[in-house]
Amino acid sequence: MFRNWRIGSVNGALLAAYFIPAWTLVAFNIMAAPVHGLYERPSVAVALFLSDHLQMAGMSTVRAAWLLALGRLTVVAFFAIYLALLCIPRVRKNGGSDEALGIALAIGSLISFTSMLMASKVGEMAALRLHATELLLLLGAAIVVVIERPAPAPKNVREIVETAAPLALEQAELLHNR
């Protein structure tokens, strides 16, 4: 059953198992109460940076919080799409789910990197450690996905025919009726 699972597939599934619940909870807390949700631990560095360095007030802070929640939910959605595609063996063997994982890793890395920079700028060490850890997780998965490519498909039809079982009554396949 696990013969056609690649390391990148397992790594992506483990990342999705972390990021889907963690970032969904943070995003829904921000959506329910934008200012209160923004000042919780996973987003406090962004909130402090917005208020201290960019001097955003009231409604601008709420809009920035909703934008952060939207970005996090986008990453969650792409991880969910990746998990759905990972359940289909044909797609998993061909590496068809890697695109959804790549988009989730790119957007998630961007969010984590900017949050990490903001945390370092405001001096919030707990948030800095959290965002640096998330960024390292995402970058490590991206390296594994880039280096590990799926098995190449056979180059010609003759290899497929030689490896396939012979047809009953020696009927010609549709692909070879030309």
Side-chain angles (χ1 to χ4, degrees), residues 82-102:
Y82 170 73
L83 286 180
L85 291 174
L86 201 61
C87 294
I88 304 169
R90 183 181 69 240
V91 174
R92 183 178 56 244
K93 288 178 192 174
N94 296 339
S97 58
D98 289 347
E99 186 175 342
L101 179 62

Side-chain angles (χ1 to χ4, degrees), residues 47 52 83 141 155 159:
D52 292 349
L83 286 180
K155 294 194 190 283
E159 291 178 18

Side-chain angles (χ1 to χ4, degrees), residues 1 7 12 14 25 39 46 48 55-56 67 69 72 82 84 88 101 112 115 117 122 143 161 165:
M1 178 176 150
I7 293 174
L14 289 174
L25 185 64
Y39 278 95
V46 176
L48 292 175
Q55 298 173 353
M56 284 189 171
L67 188 62
R72 286 181 184 255
Y82 170 73
I88 304 169
L101 179 62
S112 291
S115 298
L117 287 179
V122 297
I143 290 169
V161 172

Side-chain angles (χ1 to χ4, degrees), residues 70-133:
L70 179 66
R72 286 181 184 255
L73 285 178
T74 303
V75 172
V76 167
F78 277 109
F79 272 125
I81 291 169
Y82 170 73
L83 286 180
L85 291 174
L86 201 61
C87 294
I88 304 169
R90 183 181 69 240
V91 174
R92 183 178 56 244
K93 288 178 192 174
N94 296 339
S97 58
D98 289 347
E99 186 175 342
L101 179 62
I103 293 171
L105 293 175
I107 297 171
S109 295
L110 182 68
I111 292 172
S112 291
F113 182 71
T114 55
S115 298
M116 184 184 71
L117 287 179
M118 291 178 188
S120 70
K121 199 74 167 165
V122 297
E124 186 64 37
M125 294 311 292
L128 179 66
R129 284 188 209 103
L130 172 70
H131 297 304
T133 303

